[in-house]
């Protein structure tokens, strides 16, 4: 290992990253040779190293073709943000300084930046300043952290320290949510030993909307036994919300723990135009949001917020003779999450908040709300497109529905169209099942996305849809001839 390679290595990557990012508006979302390009990285461990520059040249040569252009503004799949200039550059610097955000001893800077960041985020999301929080790898891990705190609280109500003694001998914790519950919460409940199937889903329709009276009845029948409610602020198919304030009221009335998954929906609280959707989160016991989605910092980054963050060290505090003690006055953030050594993801979050401020983020969110309405308007005007849901936030759920195609064939047609759109590469958007129907669900989260990108999405779906519909008409004619 030769330190003299460092300058050339960083210069190469910096120059190539700039070149790549300058071109994301023109790049296909998925190169035609993406699979082959990815496979070209296979190979065995080299006996002799090639030096720093060879692998880096390989990365910049074949890496972009093997990648999805999710950094650009025409990526609408899942809910994935880009990276702001400040966020990206600060994240690079976190790697250069190679800070371990485990503790004050490993990095005063990473620890201080994380504490400042959590305070700023609480301010941004209008959460009570007395709350605590911690950065995680994403909303999955943030849900895990918050539900771990809920599990501990629930055990205490039964007189058991479940982090010390486990769940054996206790009843199954009553956990309730709507059909909007995200897969990551199921995963978290499984990892916590509560069990994925323990959660009772109370929905009143095919979309998964919360059945409030059923929840009220279920809570009443517990006779004051502690329960855990999971509210969903921003569901992935249409961007809809559980009635969080009603959930908060029920939680207060029945002494239940309310956790709110606001991976992207918590950002509704940044704009007076959308904040009503997520009203009541401030009355919850815990809440999550994502950094790598709507905050537009690089992967990976999420946030867990808790009313009582002090309990986290009872769950995740893992001391040893060589590690800081639990009573050390200097913060050890590793004792608030499952991870020991931790990436200093606060660099990017702190830098982007400082770079663009409350107003910059409000304007970005409102710009995306406008784009979602523009998209909904284009869909409503198109005779061959059908919108399937209201558009409260930044996701538009719709399907292709040309004249003369029966309901029974629409699912297959939209599924094939979904594949065709991904292969086409001008835009990137996935399909889902909404109220039983195959549908597109573009999510607008990237700071680079503009009206032209949204318009292109509509054009591409219509153009490829017409081709597929014509093809299937020919096939039907042939098979009946
Ligand atoms: C994306 C998402 C998650 C999971 O977040 P990751 O950052 O992918 O771990 C959880 N809940 C909701 C509502 C989400 O949209």
């Amino acid at each position: 290992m030769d330190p003299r390679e460092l300058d050339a290595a960083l210069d190469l990557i910096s120059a190539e990253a700039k070149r790549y990012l300058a071109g994301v508006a023109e790049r296909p979302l998925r190169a035609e040779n993406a699979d082959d390009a990815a496979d070209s990285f296979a190979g065995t461990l080299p006996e002799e190293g090639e030096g720093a520059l060879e692998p880096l040249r390989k990365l910049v040569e074949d890496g972009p073709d093997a990648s999805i252009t999710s950094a650009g503004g025409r990526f609408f799949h899942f809910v994935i943000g880009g990276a702001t200039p400040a966020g990206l550059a600060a994240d690079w610097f976190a790697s250069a300084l190679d800070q371990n955000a485990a503790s004050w001893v490993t990095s005063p800077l990473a620890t201080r930046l994380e504490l400042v960041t959590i305070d700023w985020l609480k301010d941004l999301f209008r959460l009570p300043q007395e709350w605590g929080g911690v950065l995680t790898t994403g909303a999955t891990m943030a849900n895990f952290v918050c539900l771990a705190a809920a599990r501990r609280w629930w055990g205490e109500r039964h007189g058991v320290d479940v982090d010390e003694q486990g769940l054996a001998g206790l009843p199954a914790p009553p956990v309730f949510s709507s059909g909007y519950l995200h897969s990551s919460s199921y995963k978290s409940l499984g990892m916590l030993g509560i069990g994925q199937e323990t959660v009772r889903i109370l929905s009143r329709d095919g979309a998964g909307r919360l059945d409030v009276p059923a929840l009220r009845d279920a809570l009443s029948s517990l006779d004051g036994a502690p329960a855990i409610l999971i509210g969903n602020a921003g569901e992935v198919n249409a961007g809809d919300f559980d009635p969080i304030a009603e959930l908060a009221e029920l939680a207060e009335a029945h002494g239940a723990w309310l956790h709110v998954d606001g991976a992207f929906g918590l950002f509704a609280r940044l704009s007076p135009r959308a904040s009503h959707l997520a009203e009541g989160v401030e009355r919850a016991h815990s809440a999550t949001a994502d950094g790598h989605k709507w905050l537009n910092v690089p992967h990976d980054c999420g946030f867990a917020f808790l009313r009582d963050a002090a309990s986290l060290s009872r769950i995740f505090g893992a001391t040893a003779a060589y590690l800081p003690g639990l009573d050390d006055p200097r913060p050890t953030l590793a004792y608030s999450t499952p991870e020991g050594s931790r990436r200093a993801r606060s660099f990017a979050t702190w830098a982007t908040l400082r770079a663009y401020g409350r107003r910059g983020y409000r304007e970005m969110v409102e710009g995306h709300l406008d784009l979602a309405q523009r998209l909904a308007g284009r869909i409503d005007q198109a005779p061959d497109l059908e919108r399937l849901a209201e558009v409260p936030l930044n996701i538009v759920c719709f399907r292709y529905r040309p004249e003369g195609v029966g309901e029974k064939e629409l699912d297959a047609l939209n599924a094939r169209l979904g594949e065709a759109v991904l292969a086409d590469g001008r835009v990137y958007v996935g399909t889902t099942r909404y109220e039983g129907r195959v549908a597109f669900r573009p999510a607008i989260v990237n700071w680079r996305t503009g009206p032209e990108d949204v318009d292109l999405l509509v054009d591409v779906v219509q153009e490829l849809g017409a081709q597929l519909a014509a093809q299937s008409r020919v096939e039907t004619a042939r098979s009946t001839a």
Side-chain angles (χ1 to χ4, degrees), residues 78-79 136-143 180-185 187 232-236 261-265 288-293 299-302 395 441:
F78 309 110
V79 185
T136 64
T137 53
T140 299
M141 206 33 96
N143 281 334
Y180 287 167
L181 189 64
H182 189 265
S183 54
S184 62
S185 282
K187 184 154 121 178
N232 304 286
E235 136 300 333
V236 294
D261 180 354
F264 61 93
T288 59
D290 241 324
H292 48 226
K293 288 179 182 172
H299 290 96
D300 47 20
C301 183
I395 298 179
R441 48 156 306 283

Side-chain angles (χ1 to χ4, degrees), residues 235-240 372 375-376 379-380 385-392 394-400 429-435 437-443:
E235 136 300 333
V236 294
N237 283 331
D240 196 18
L375 179 54
I379 289 161
D380 291 347
L385 299 176
E386 178 188 20
R387 186 155 60 83
L388 297 179
E390 296 299 309
V391 182
N394 62 336
I395 298 179
V396 184
C397 188
F398 73 98
R399 65 177 175 171
Y400 181 60
V429 59
T431 55
T432 186
R433 231 171 226 286
Y434 184 74
E435 294 184 322
R437 293 173 288 191
V438 174
F440 290 91
R441 48 156 306 283

Side-chain angles (χ1 to χ4, degrees), residues 132-374:
V134 70
L135 300 187
T136 64
T137 53
T140 299
M141 206 33 96
N143 281 334
F144 177 84
V145 166
C146 293
L147 291 172
R151 181 184 69 161
R152 176 174 182 78
W153 163 89
W154 175 85
E156 283 171 351
R157 292 292 167 288
H158 286 272
V160 177
D161 181 332
V162 296
D163 294 292
E164 297 273 339
Q165 290 151 31
L167 292 162
L170 288 167
V175 184
F176 301 99
S177 191
S178 73
Y180 287 167
L181 189 64
H182 189 265
S183 54
S184 62
S185 282
Y186 287 98
K187 184 154 121 178
S188 298
L189 291 170
M191 289 194 288
L192 285 163
I194 294 174
Q196 300 203 13
E197 288 182 8
T198 298
V199 59
R200 272 187 61 197
I201 299 301
L202 303 171
S203 11
R204 62 178 157 89
D205 62 18
R209 289 185 184 85
L210 180 67
D211 186 338
V212 177
L215 177 58
R216 188 173 296 123
D217 289 349
L219 288 171
S220 297
S221 72
L222 290 175
D223 280 332
I228 299 167
L229 314 184
I230 306 177
N232 304 286
E235 136 300 333
V236 294
N237 283 331
D240 196 18
F241 288 66
D242 283 335
I244 305 296
E246 280 183 72
L247 279 168
E249 210 149 301
L250 284 174
E252 285 158 12
H254 294 273
W257 179 290
L258 174 60
H259 169 63
V260 177
D261 180 354
F264 61 93
L266 212 58
F267 284 78
R269 290 170 72 90
L270 271 59
S271 163
R273 284 167 48 189
S275 60
H276 61 277
L277 296 166
E279 230 28 81
V281 178
E282 69 286 349
R283 291 160 67 187
H285 296 75
S286 58
T288 59
D290 241 324
H292 48 226
K293 288 179 182 172
W294 225 346
L295 196 72
N296 280 264
V297 294
H299 290 96
D300 47 20
C301 183
F303 321 123
F305 302 104
L306 296 104
R307 198 191 283 183
D308 173 23
S311 77
L312 292 179
S313 66
R314 307 290 304 279
I315 306 167
F316 300 115
T319 52
Y322 73 107
L323 293 171
L326 284 179
D327 53 357
D328 195 314
R330 297 164 304 180
T332 301
L333 290 165
Y335 294 170
S336 294
T337 71
E339 299 143 11
S341 299
R342 306 170 66 234
R343 178 168 179 77
R345 40 185 81 89
S346 59
F347 279 51
T349 310
W350 172 83
T352 205
L353 289 171
R354 186 157 165 179
Y356 314 111
R358 194 196 312 272
R359 188 163 84 173
Y361 273 98
R362 189 189 72 222
E363 285 174 0
M364 181 197 69
V365 165
E366 291 181 345
H368 290 162
L369 297 179
D370 290 340
L371 289 176
Q373 292 306 321
R374 178 190 181 97

Side-chain angles (χ1 to χ4, degrees), residues 24 37 76 94 147 231 243 285 290 319 366 413-414 435 461 468 473:
V24 284
F76 300 98
L147 291 172
H285 296 75
D290 241 324
T319 52
E366 291 181 345
L413 177 60
N414 276 277
E435 294 184 322
V461 169
L468 278 184
R473 265 182 226 116

Side-chain angles (χ1 to χ4, degrees), residues 409-420:
E409 295 133 68
L410 280 174
D411 280 351
L413 177 60
N414 276 277
R416 276 169 68 203
L417 179 53
E419 293 294 323

